[in-house]
């Protein structure tokens, strides 16, 4: 079945370590996104990519990095520069940069906890 | 999800009753609106959408109403079931194609 797969579902990290969250989709979507979800707040956009080998910063990109070497994959690295990395991270994709319908397809999320 | 709901408004309804979840959006130029459902520990799922040239759209057991005058969006769920228990988010699409998400409302369904 087509969908978006995020891994790992749970991840623990020590302060000062970089971690990479995986996101893979087999929906043949051009656009992919990373959001952060914190209690009591709406989803906030970290990075997005509308095409392979291109990506743009979202609203809260500081302390994060991404790559888009393949259409199917959009990994997110949470670097040690991110001051408050403990959060629930959601990856999403859409047909063509949300320009047609805006409908996003989300993965199941990755819960990162910094110890 | 496990990370939301700690400070969210909550709507409690009895099984079989109708539910109405409200959302105020911020930008009068937004042209497209979406409702998402997020169950505990999962990612959001698309429920229904509506374009700004409409004021009502119906799906299976769900209806979305749009009032552009007061920038208000609502989601109505008919005959609410225990499986409807979740956090519901609205989202508005700006003219720049950016999506802005609301903070969400938790729906609790009691037998």
């Amino acid at each position: 079945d087509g969908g978006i797969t995020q891994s790992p579902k749970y991840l623990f990290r020590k302060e000062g370590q970089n971690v990479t969250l995986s996101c893979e989709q087999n929906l043949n979507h051009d656009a992919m996104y990373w959001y952060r979800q914190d209690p009591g707040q709406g989803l906030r956009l970290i990075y997005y990519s509308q095409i392979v080998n291109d990506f743009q910063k979202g609203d809260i990109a500081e302390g994060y990095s991404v790559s888009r070497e393949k259409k199917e994959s959009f990994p997110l690295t949470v670097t040690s520069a991110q001051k408050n990395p403990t959060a629930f991270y959601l990856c999403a994709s859409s047909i063509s940069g949300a320009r047609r319908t805006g409908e996003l397809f989300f993965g199941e999320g990755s819960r990162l906890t910094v110890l | 999800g496990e990370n939301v709901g700690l400070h969210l408004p909550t709507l409690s309804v009895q099984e079989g009753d109708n539910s109405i979840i409200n959302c105020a959006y911020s930008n009068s130029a937004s042209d497209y609106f979406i409702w998402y459902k997020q169950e505990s520990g999962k990612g959001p799922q698309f429920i229904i959408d509506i374009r700004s040239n409409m004021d009502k759209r119906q799906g299976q057991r769900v209806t979305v109403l749009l009032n552009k005058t007061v920038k208000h969006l609502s989601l109505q769920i008919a005959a609410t079931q225990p499986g409807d228990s979740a956090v519901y988010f609205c989202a508005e699409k700006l003219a720049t194609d950016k999506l802005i998400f609301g903070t969400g409302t938790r729906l609790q369904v009691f037998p």
Side-chain angles (χ1 to χ4, degrees):
Chain A
D1 290 344
I4 299 178
T5 301
Q6 289 186 240
S7 64
K9 190 170 178 64
Y10 298 97
L11 183 62
F12 297 88
R13 184 193 96 175
K14 293 182 179 179
E15 284 192 24
Q17 289 181 335
N18 294 352
V19 293
T20 297
L21 308 180
S22 169
C23 179
E24 303 279 333
Q25 56 101 355
N26 60 4
L27 300 167
N28 199 32
H29 285 172
D30 290 314
M32 297 186 74
Y33 311 79
W34 275 103
Y35 287 89
R36 172 178 170 138
Q37 189 173 39
D38 294 284
Q41 299 192 41
L43 277 64
R44 292 184 290 167
L45 183 63
I46 304 173
Y47 267 99
Y48 65 101
S49 167
Q50 296 189 351
I51 196 170
V52 175
N53 291 323
D54 188 42
F55 49 83
Q56 286 79 41
K57 293 182 179 180
D59 299 319
I60 55 166
E62 185 176 353
Y64 300 99
S65 65
V66 294
S67 63
R68 188 86 186 278
E69 298 176 1
K70 299 186 299 181
K71 187 176 185 178
E72 305 79 24
S73 179
F74 191 41
L76 173 74
T77 297
V78 184
T79 75
S80 57
Q82 169 49 235
K83 299 305 180 185
N84 185 22
T86 294
F88 191 54
Y89 291 90
L90 287 161
C91 179
S93 69
S94 66
I95 292 174
S96 59
R99 291 184 186 277
R100 290 184 186 175
T101 66
E103 181 181 349
L104 299 179
F105 294 80
F106 285 90
E108 296 284 89
S110 293
R111 176 73 165 100
L112 173 63
T113 302
V114 175
L115 304 174
Chain B
E2 60 188 65
N3 294 287
V4 297
L6 295 182
H7 308 289
L8 293 178
T10 299
L11 174 66
S12 298
V13 300
Q14 194 163 17
E15 182 178 358
D17 287 351
N18 297 334
S19 302
I20 300 176
I21 300 171
N22 297 305
C23 177
Y25 64 92
S26 57
N27 195 312
S28 58
S30 295
D31 60 1
Y32 179 69
F33 305 87
I34 313 170
W35 279 101
Y36 285 92
K37 172 186 180 183
Q38 186 174 24
E39 297 178 357
S40 181
K42 296 186 177 181
Q45 290 181 296
F46 172 89
I47 303 174
I48 192 168
D49 57 1
I50 188 168
R51 296 199 175 277
S52 58
N53 60 354
M54 304 170 67
D55 54 17
K56 180 180 180 179
R57 191 170 186 210
Q58 289 185 297
Q60 187 177 12
R61 281 201 308 118
V62 294
T63 299
V64 55
L65 299 178
L66 175 62
N67 185 330
K68 293 183 287 293
T69 302
V70 295
K71 293 190 287 187
H72 183 267
L73 196 66
S74 68
L75 177 70
Q76 300 179 359
I77 304 174
T80 312
Q81 302 169 0
D84 295 326
S85 294
V87 175
Y88 290 81
F89 295 91
C90 67
E92 58 179 307
K93 186 169 79 71
L94 306 180
T96 56
D97 287 341
K98 182 178 180 179
L99 277 178
I100 304 293
F101 288 86
T103 56
T105 297
R106 175 180 294 280
L107 176 65
Q108 294 181 329
V109 182
F110 294 96

